[in-house]
Coordinates of all heavy atoms in Angstrom, one line a residue:
F12 N 4.5 19.3 7.9 CA 3.8 20.4 8.5 C 4.7 21.4 9.2 O 4.3 22.2 10.0 CB 2.7 19.9 9.5 CG 1.5 19.4 8.8 CD1 1.4 18.0 8.6 CD2 0.5 20.2 8.2 CE1 0.3 17.4 8.0 CE2 -0.6 19.6 7.5 CZ -0.7 18.3 7.4
S13 N 6.0 21.2 9.1 CA 6.9 22.0 9.8 C 6.9 23.5 9.3 O 6.6 23.7 8.1 CB 8.4 21.5 9.7 OG 8.8 21.6 8.4
M14 N 7.1 24.4 10.1 CA 7.0 25.8 9.7 C 8.1 26.2 8.7 O 7.9 27.1 7.9 CB 7.1 26.7 10.9 CG 6.0 26.6 11.9 SD 4.3 26.7 11.1 CE 4.4 28.4 10.6
G15 N 9.2 25.4 8.6 CA 10.2 25.7 7.7 C 10.1 25.1 6.3 O 10.9 25.3 5.4
F26 N -1.4 29.3 8.5 CA -1.1 28.9 9.9 C -0.5 30.2 10.7 O -0.9 30.5 11.8 CB 0.0 27.8 10.0 CG 0.2 27.2 11.4 CD1 -0.9 26.6 12.0 CD2 1.4 27.4 12.0 CE1 -0.7 26.1 13.3 CE2 1.6 26.9 13.3 CZ 0.5 26.2 13.9
V30 N -2.0 32.1 14.0 CA -1.1 32.5 15.2 C -1.3 34.0 15.5 O -1.5 34.4 16.6 CB 0.3 32.1 15.0 CG1 1.2 32.7 16.1 CG2 0.5 30.6 14.9
C80 N 6.5 38.6 21.2 CA 5.7 38.1 20.0 C 6.3 36.8 19.5 O 5.6 35.8 19.2 CB 5.7 39.1 18.9 SG 4.8 40.6 19.2
I81 N 7.7 36.7 19.5 CA 8.4 35.5 19.0 C 8.0 34.3 20.0 O 7.7 33.2 19.5 CB 9.9 35.7 19.0 CG1 10.2 36.7 17.8 CG2 10.6 34.4 18.8 CD1 11.7 37.2 17.9
C82 N 8.1 34.6 21.3 CA 7.8 33.5 22.2 C 6.4 33.0 22.1 O 6.1 31.8 22.2 CB 8.0 34.0 23.7 SG 9.8 34.3 24.0
Y83 N 5.4 34.0 21.9 CA 4.0 33.6 21.8 C 3.8 32.7 20.6 O 3.2 31.6 20.7 CB 3.1 34.8 21.7 CG 1.6 34.4 21.7 CD1 0.9 34.4 22.8 CD2 1.0 34.1 20.5 CE1 -0.5 34.0 22.8 CE2 -0.3 33.7 20.4 CZ -1.1 33.7 21.6 OH -2.4 33.3 21.5
G84 N 4.4 33.1 19.5 CA 4.2 32.4 18.2 C 4.9 31.0 18.3 O 4.3 30.0 17.9
A85 N 6.0 30.9 19.0 CA 6.7 29.6 19.1 C 5.9 28.7 20.0 O 5.8 27.5 19.7 CB 8.1 29.8 19.7
A86 N 5.4 29.2 21.1 CA 4.6 28.4 22.0 C 3.3 27.9 21.3 O 2.9 26.7 21.5 CB 4.2 29.2 23.3
Y87 N 2.7 28.7 20.5 CA 1.4 28.3 19.8 C 1.7 27.2 18.8 O 1.0 26.2 18.7 CB 0.8 29.5 19.2 CG -0.6 29.2 18.7 CD1 -1.7 29.4 19.5 CD2 -0.8 28.7 17.4 CE1 -3.0 29.1 19.1 CE2 -2.1 28.4 16.9 CZ -3.2 28.6 17.8 OH -4.4 28.3 17.3
K88 N 2.8 27.4 18.1 CA 3.2 26.4 17.1 C 3.6 25.1 17.7 O 3.2 24.0 17.2 CB 4.4 26.9 16.3 CG 4.1 28.1 15.3 CD 5.3 28.7 14.8 CE 5.1 30.1 14.1 NZ 6.3 30.8 13.8
D89 N 4.3 25.1 18.9 CA 4.6 23.9 19.6 C 3.3 23.2 20.1 O 3.2 22.0 20.0 CB 5.5 24.2 20.8 CG 7.0 24.5 20.3 OD1 7.3 24.2 19.1 OD2 7.7 24.9 21.2
G90 N 2.4 24.0 20.6 CA 1.1 23.4 21.0 C 0.4 22.8 19.9 O -0.2 21.6 20.0
M91 N 0.4 23.4 18.7 CA -0.3 22.8 17.6 C 0.4 21.6 17.1 O -0.2 20.6 16.7 CB -0.4 23.8 16.4 CG -1.4 25.0 16.7 SD -3.0 24.4 17.0 CE -3.5 23.7 15.4
S92 N 1.7 21.6 17.1 CA 2.5 20.4 16.8 C 2.2 19.2 17.7 O 2.0 18.1 17.3 CB 4.0 20.7 16.8 OG 4.8 19.6 16.5
D93 N 2.1 19.5 19.0 CA 1.8 18.5 20.0 C 0.4 17.9 19.7 O 0.1 16.7 19.8 CB 1.8 19.0 21.4 CG 3.3 19.3 21.9 OD1 4.2 18.9 21.2 OD2 3.4 20.0 22.9
L94 N -0.5 18.8 19.4 CA -1.9 18.4 19.1 C -1.9 17.5 17.9 O -2.6 16.4 17.9 CB -2.8 19.6 18.8 CG -4.3 19.3 18.4 CD1 -5.0 18.5 19.5 CD2 -5.0 20.6 18.1
M95 N -1.2 17.9 16.8 CA -1.2 17.0 15.6 C -0.5 15.7 15.9 O -1.0 14.7 15.4 CB -0.4 17.8 14.5 CG -1.2 18.9 13.9 SD -0.4 19.6 12.4 CE 1.0 20.5 13.1
T96 N 0.5 15.7 16.7 CA 1.1 14.4 17.1 C 0.1 13.5 17.9 O 0.0 12.3 17.6 CB 2.4 14.7 18.0 OG1 3.3 15.4 17.2 CG2 3.0 13.4 18.4
A97 N -0.6 14.1 18.8 CA -1.6 13.4 19.6 C -2.7 12.8 18.7 O -3.1 11.7 18.9 CB -2.1 14.3 20.7
M98 N -3.1 13.6 17.8 CA -4.2 13.2 16.9 C -3.7 12.0 16.0 O -4.4 11.0 15.8 CB -4.6 14.3 16.0 CG -5.4 15.3 16.8 SD -5.8 16.8 15.8 CE -6.9 16.2 14.6

Side-chain angles (χ1 to χ4, degrees):
F12 287 100
S13 67
M14 293 309 294
F26 190 65
V30 171
C80 292
I81 293 169
C82 291
Y83 183 96
Y87 192 89
K88 290 171 195 171
D89 285 348
M91 291 302 295
S92 177
D93 290 346
L94 176 61
M95 288 188 286
T96 300
M98 290 171 68

